Amino acid sequence: MPKPVKIKKPKSFMFTTKHHSFAGVMGVMMCLISIIVMAGGIYMSFVHSGKSNVIMGAEGLFAMILDFLGIIAGLTSLSERDIHRWVPIVSIVANSIVLALWIALVMLGKTV
């Protein structure tokens, strides 16, 4: 019976340090700013009995642009190497949800 062949294991290790992607973190921050603007707009609309002005529309447009930029930042940060992948994914999902909420809010405002 022949002697079994030993499988050699590699003796070198590559240690990497994963970090949070700057663009992914910025995407999450853009989402948080958009949520704060949405909450403020809803509160101001409640205080003024549903009557809104141009400034509130500009807030909504600003927040939608922030959400769109947050989605782009999350998508571009996914291509970086040695990063924690959950930060850009959270950025993409959260910004998409908030953008959908903004679009729904605008569409409901047009029908009322």
Side-chain angles (χ1 to χ4, degrees):
M1 183 167 190
K3 193 174 188 182
V5 178
K6 277 183 112 175
I7 299 174
K8 289 189 173 186
K9 293 182 182 177
K11 293 189 177 187
S12 64
F13 294 98
M14 183 176 158
F15 292 103
T16 60
T17 56
K18 288 189 174 187
H19 62 280
H20 296 291
S21 170
F22 178 74
V25 172
M26 288 306 295
V28 172
M29 295 303 291
M30 288 179 196
C31 180
L32 291 176
I33 291 170
S34 178
I35 290 171
I36 291 170
V37 169
M38 182 183 284
I42 290 172
Y43 175 74
M44 292 304 292
S45 178
F46 180 74
V47 167
H48 296 296
S49 302
K51 295 183 181 4
S52 62
N53 54 16
V54 177
I55 295 173
M56 293 176 76
E59 288 176 356
L61 182 64
F62 170 72
M64 282 195 261
I65 291 170
L66 270 182
D67 284 328
F68 185 69
L69 291 175
I71 292 170
I72 291 173
L75 288 173
T76 57
S77 65
L78 276 176
S79 64
E80 294 178 18
R81 293 183 53 182
D82 296 331
I83 62 165
H84 294 289
R85 293 252 186 242
W86 66 271
V87 176
I89 291 172
V90 166
S91 170
I92 294 168
V93 170
N95 278 307
S96 299
I97 291 171
V98 175
L99 183 62
L101 287 174
W102 271 112
I103 292 171
L105 188 66
V106 168
M107 291 301 155
L108 284 174
K110 285 188 173 188
T111 60
V112 175

